[in-house]
């Protein structure tokens, strides 16, 4: 929690008025109050200059940052870039400069012991001090060579410890804003695989564990400091001498795209009809898997068909479109919902349709290029979907309407052949009724005579009618998904209409 004074500011006893031990306070310039500092820290500005990365800092590196305009200070093993904070420091710049490029823990403890500096300076966190090499803790495995990572000091590292009943593996990702979608863990028999996604790179812990563990595992993430804990339950309460034998890719940090797809077997829980040819499949992840599919990303399903491995991509959806926006979206992390059209002569979908409840199917790690931040900076969001090209729009719609406050309009333009093909029509119409920012337009390419709505395929005239900025300068994002010719034509028309590549996102494999 930040120490935000509740009433008059600075409050009579606040850090900005009280001189500790009679120490004179330096008058702060206008616009440099604690509240101004808090606003700055919440503005999303990069205060470290490291674009959200956390690095390991050596003593030599720390010492280089000893000037007002480039000042790093170490407090209790964590290094902060305090340059942006200089003008906000009640004790003045000179006081801070006493610890410039050095360990300021003692100085800090003398003067500011009560200050919640971790919270005050959290956006200034540069990283941890590098630990001087000492004998490796008992049982810890040697670090493998780093393959292809951009900078060595950004390579995540790991450690482990145990209690009578638990094994905890701690991964220091050196990446701020870690979240559950960036951590994928599987434990099958004694084989542990923990993958951490860091931008376009992937760090892997992959071991044949020393002893057996129970099926369920837990993952804890300290988001701001980028620490990930994988907690395993020992099967037998015995002391482990080592964590395990490293497997081939253990402790490697390589490009994400160079990491092979990893599959785990998921159980088919239910299969429900959505339309005459499309079904909602619910798959259950094993208890020993931690996996969250990010919005707009897909997974690969793998089946052996006629003795051959066949793989096809599918984009997970939600079990339904939530109408109550006060509730958090309902992805529980245990189930994966897939909305799949069964083609009468489709190789993969026919085999899928023949699966029974309780059967198993292999599901890969998620892939995709869509980033939620693309929506977070937009005022108008347009979703152009054709047929099952609707699937990436489901989570996106839910995210946009529940979590993005700057959006003024969200419009789904949904292309289908016939009325019977429209997926979740009722839910979409209900959603448009309860949220005035949301509008849905159905366009049919093979309508019956009774259809009074719009008809046709994607065209320049249809797009110019439905895709419009709500204000002259408003920031738009247009997402497109459907058959490849649909997507390609859509992009062409939009460019002719004056939209830039940055304003368009296409969903492809
Ligand atoms: P195939 O045996 O390959 O083809 C048989 C016949 O089915 C074809 O002759 C054609 O008539 C029809 N057909 C097959 N594929 C297509 C196609 N892509 N477009 C139009 N007609 C086709 N599908 C979903 O239902 N839900 C999803 O969530 C989903 N997500 C996807 C995500 C990505 C990134 C991509 C690239 C595709 C996605 N697909 C999705 C399509 C899916 O991957 C398969 O292409 C589809 O299920 C057909 O597989 P099949 O083996 O049954 O058909
Ligand atoms: P469909 O055959 O039922 O067609 C739906 C609508 O798409 C049609 O009414 C028409 O308006 C438009 N369309 C179809 N073919 C077109 C063409 N050649 N040119 C212009 N417009 C055309 O669609 P479907 O069978 O549901 O197929 C959905 C497609 O979406 C598949 O190709 C699938 O691979 C793709 N998809 C991709 C992703 C992804 O993330 N990349 C996700 C889901 C689905």
């Amino acid at each position: 929690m930040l120490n935000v004074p509740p009433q008059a500011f600075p409050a009579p006893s606040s850090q900005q008025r009280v001189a500790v031990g009679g120490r004179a306070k330096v008058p702060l310039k206008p616009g440099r109050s604690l509240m101004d500092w808090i606003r700055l820290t919440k503005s999303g500005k990069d205060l470290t200059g490291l674009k959200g990365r956390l690095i390991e800092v050596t003593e030599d590196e720390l010492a280089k940052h000893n000037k007002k305009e480039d000042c790093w200070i170490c407090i209790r093993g964590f290094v902060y870039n305090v340059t942006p904070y200089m003008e906000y420091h009640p004790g003045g710049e000179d006081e801070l400069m006493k610890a410039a490029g050095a360990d300021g823990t003692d100085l800090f403890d003398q003067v500011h012991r009560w200050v919640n500096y971790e919270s005050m300076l959290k956006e200034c966190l540069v990283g941890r001090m590098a630990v001087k090499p000492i004998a490796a803790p008992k049982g810890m495995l040697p670090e493998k060579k780093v393959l292809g990572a951009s900078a060595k000091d950004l390579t995540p590292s790991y450690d482990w410890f145990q209690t009578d009943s638990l094994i905890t593996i701690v991964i220091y990702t050196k990446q701020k804003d870690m979240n559950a979608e960036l951590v994928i863990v599987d434990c099958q028999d004694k084989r542990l695989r923990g993958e951490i996604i860091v931008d376009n790179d992937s760090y892997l812990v992959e071991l044949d564990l020393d002893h057996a563990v129970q099926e369920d595992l837990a993952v804890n993430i300290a988001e701001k400091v980028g620490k990930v804990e994988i907690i395993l339950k020992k099967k037998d309460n015995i002391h482990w001498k080592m964590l395990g034998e490293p497997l081939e890719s253990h402790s490697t940090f390589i490009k994400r795209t160079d990491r092979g797809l990893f599959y785990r077997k998921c159980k088919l829980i239910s299969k429900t009809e959505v339309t005459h040819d499309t079904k909602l499949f619910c798959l259950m992840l094993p208890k020993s898997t931690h996996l969250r599919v990010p919005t707009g990303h897909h997974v690969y399903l793998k089946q052996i068909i006629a003795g051959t491995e066949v793989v096809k991509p599918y984009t997970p959806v939600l079990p339904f479109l939530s109408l109550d926006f006060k509730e958090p979206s309902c992805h529980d992390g245990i189930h994966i919902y897939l909305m799949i059209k069964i083609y009468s002569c489709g190789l993969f979908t026919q085999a899928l349709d023949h699966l029974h409840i309780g059967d198993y199917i292999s599901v890969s790690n998620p892939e995709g290029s869509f980033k939620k931040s693309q929506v977070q900076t937009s005022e108008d969001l347009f979703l152009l979907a054709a047929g099952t090209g609707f699937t990436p729009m489901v989570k996106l719609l839910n995210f946009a309407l529940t979590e993005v406050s700057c959006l003024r309009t969200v419009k789904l333009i949904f292309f289908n052949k016939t009325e019977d093909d429209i997926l979740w029509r009722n839910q979409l119409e209900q959603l448009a009724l309860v949220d005035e920012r949301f509008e849905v337009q159905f366009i049919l390419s093979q309508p019956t005579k009774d259809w009074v709505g719009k008809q046709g395929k994607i065209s320049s005239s249809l797009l110019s009618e439905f895709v419009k900025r709500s204000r002259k300068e408003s920031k738009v994002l247009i997402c497109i998904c459907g058959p490849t010719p649909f997507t390609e034509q859509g992009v062409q028309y939009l460019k002719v209409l004056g939209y830039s590549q940055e304003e368009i996102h296409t969903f492809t494999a």
Side-chain angles (χ1 to χ4, degrees):
M1 281 286 289
L2 281 162
N3 300 325
V4 184
Q7 301 139 7
F9 189 81
S13 60
S14 87
Q15 291 163 31
Q16 297 214 42
R17 288 185 194 243
V18 182
V20 182
R23 219 167 35 91
K25 287 257 144 176
V26 175
L28 297 169
K29 287 186 203 158
R32 293 292 179 271
S33 69
L34 178 58
M35 195 50 107
D36 293 313
W37 171 247
I38 291 165
R39 274 193 207 111
L40 178 65
T41 61
K42 289 185 186 293
S43 66
K45 204 170 164 192
D46 177 13
L47 297 183
T48 59
L50 294 170
K51 298 192 176 107
R53 291 268 196 175
L54 292 174
I55 60 171
E56 220 163 85
V57 185
T58 60
E59 277 180 24
D60 288 351
E61 185 62 37
L62 178 64
K64 285 185 207 160
H65 303 268
N66 61 354
K67 296 161 219 68
K68 264 186 196 167
E69 59 284 2
D70 177 18
C71 180
W72 291 8
I73 292 178
C74 170
I75 306 173
R76 277 186 253 291
F78 287 91
V79 178
Y80 299 89
N81 178 350
V82 295
T83 295
Y85 182 61
M86 286 278 174
E87 293 193 339
Y88 297 82
H89 184 229
E93 297 181 359
D94 293 347
E95 198 66 22
L96 271 182
M97 284 307 293
K98 285 181 188 165
D103 191 328
T105 310
D106 288 346
L107 197 66
F108 177 86
D109 281 349
Q110 282 166 27
V111 193
H112 292 307
R113 229 183 141 61
W114 68 95
V115 175
N116 186 352
Y117 71 94
E118 285 160 306
S119 177
M120 286 269 283
L121 296 179
K122 67 173 184 278
E123 296 304 328
C124 300
L125 183 63
V126 167
R128 292 198 321 161
M129 282 303 287
V131 185
K132 286 191 193 127
I134 44 165
K138 220 176 161 188
M140 191 169 159
L141 291 155
E143 201 83 340
K144 249 205 184 173
K145 202 169 156 254
V146 177
L147 306 174
S150 37
K152 188 170 178 9
D153 59 346
L154 297 178
T155 307
S157 60
Y158 80 98
D159 201 347
W160 73 284
F161 60 90
Q162 61 183 307
T163 63
D164 284 349
S165 56
L166 302 176
I167 293 286
T168 302
I169 298 152
V170 188
I171 301 171
Y172 303 100
T173 67
K174 299 173 192 166
Q175 172 71 31
K176 265 191 204 175
D177 298 328
M178 241 314 118
N179 66 60
E181 292 175 351
L182 303 172
V183 181
I184 305 159
V185 183
D186 289 274
C187 195
Q188 296 168 356
D189 301 323
K190 278 169 65 205
R191 186 182 158 157
L192 175 78
R193 185 186 186 280
E195 183 174 353
I196 308 288
I197 309 297
V198 182
D199 293 335
N200 295 324
D201 295 327
S202 143
Y203 176 74
L204 195 70
V205 169
E206 197 180 28
L207 299 151
D208 187 12
L209 295 171
D210 204 29
H211 295 277
V213 290
Q214 295 180 34
E215 209 192 339
D216 51 330
L217 55 78
V219 170
N220 290 337
I221 299 168
E223 300 196 358
K224 284 289 167 198
V225 292
K227 193 173 79 171
V228 175
E229 285 181 347
I230 302 170
I231 302 161
L232 307 171
K233 290 183 190 158
K234 291 179 180 176
K235 222 169 205 168
D236 305 304
N237 290 355
I238 49 170
H239 185 80
W240 290 24
K241 291 211 177 67
M242 62 184 297
L243 183 55
E245 286 296 334
L247 295 170
E248 201 189 333
S249 302
H250 175 67
S251 201
T252 52
F253 190 38
I254 60 175
K255 272 202 184 137
R256 241 183 122 172
T257 44
D258 292 343
R259 186 88 66 207
L261 277 180
F262 181 81
Y263 290 87
R264 73 280 302 146
K265 286 216 154 72
C266 296
K267 195 178 189 173
L268 178 62
I269 297 297
S270 63
K271 201 165 49 164
T272 44
E273 251 179 38
V274 179
T275 63
H276 61 102
D277 62 0
T278 302
K279 292 182 180 168
L280 188 68
F281 290 78
C282 174
L283 303 175
M284 188 168 72
L285 288 162
K287 276 189 194 167
S288 54
T289 293
H290 169 95
L291 184 154
R292 307 276 186 279
V293 183
T295 298
H297 288 218
H298 52 270
V299 292
Y300 292 88
L301 299 189
K302 186 167 75 177
Q303 298 183 94
I304 311 283
I305 303 174
T308 307
E309 265 191 8
V310 186
V311 170
K312 291 270 161 120
Y314 294 94
T315 309
V317 295
L318 300 170
F320 50 84
L321 281 170
S322 168
L323 299 177
D324 180 1
F325 292 145
K326 287 183 191 90
E327 290 297 316
S329 49
C330 43
H331 27 247
D332 51 17
I334 303 162
H335 295 103
I336 291 185
Y337 293 88
L338 298 166
M339 195 186 272
I340 298 180
K341 179 181 278 195
I342 312 295
Y343 294 97
S344 56
C345 52
L347 177 71
F348 201 84
T349 50
Q350 280 298 322
L352 266 183
D353 200 30
H354 284 91
L355 286 180
H356 295 110
I357 304 303
D359 284 351
Y360 284 84
I361 181 159
S362 297
V363 179
S364 79
N365 287 1
E367 285 204 340
S369 60
F370 184 78
K371 289 194 172 74
K372 277 181 180 172
S373 56
Q374 293 171 256
V375 185
Q376 278 160 329
T377 51
S378 305
E379 291 163 82
D380 302 328
L381 176 65
F382 296 96
L383 309 174
L384 310 183
T388 57
F390 172 60
T391 52
M393 310 308 179
V394 172
K395 283 191 186 182
L396 184 44
L397 199 51
N398 185 271
F399 170 69
L401 294 176
T402 54
E403 291 180 50
V404 187
S405 52
C406 59
L407 276 171
R408 300 142 133 270
T409 53
V410 180
K411 209 181 260 188
L412 170 69
I413 300 129
F414 197 1
F415 296 82
N416 283 282
K417 286 184 188 145
T418 69
E419 262 184 277
D420 292 344
D421 294 323
I422 302 174
L423 303 165
W424 282 357
R425 180 177 179 176
N426 274 346
Q427 293 193 45
L428 288 166
E429 285 172 341
Q430 287 288 318
L431 196 57
L433 284 178
V434 297
D435 195 313
E436 59 182 16
R437 291 168 302 167
F438 177 61
E439 202 180 299
V440 60
Q441 183 71 48
F442 300 115
I443 302 177
L444 301 183
S445 60
Q446 297 168 23
T448 57
K449 279 189 246 116
D450 311 332
W451 178 250
V452 291
K454 280 276 163 194
Q455 18 185 313
K457 283 194 177 178
I458 196 160
S459 66
S460 188
S461 60
L462 275 174
L463 291 185
S464 59
E465 187 179 343
F466 293 114
V467 181
K468 285 187 192 136
R469 291 177 204 273
S470 60
R471 286 185 312 180
K472 201 165 167 250
E473 300 298 322
S474 58
K475 292 189 78 182
V476 300
L477 177 67
I478 308 164
C479 296
I480 313 184
C481 190
T484 308
F486 167 88
T487 306
E488 287 175 356
Q489 288 166 32
V491 173
Q492 269 179 359
Y493 295 138
L494 288 167
K495 286 197 174 157
V496 172
L497 290 172
Y499 295 96
S500 68
Q501 187 64 56
E502 290 68 47
E503 292 174 315
I504 303 170
H505 180 89
T506 56
F507 289 96
T508 47

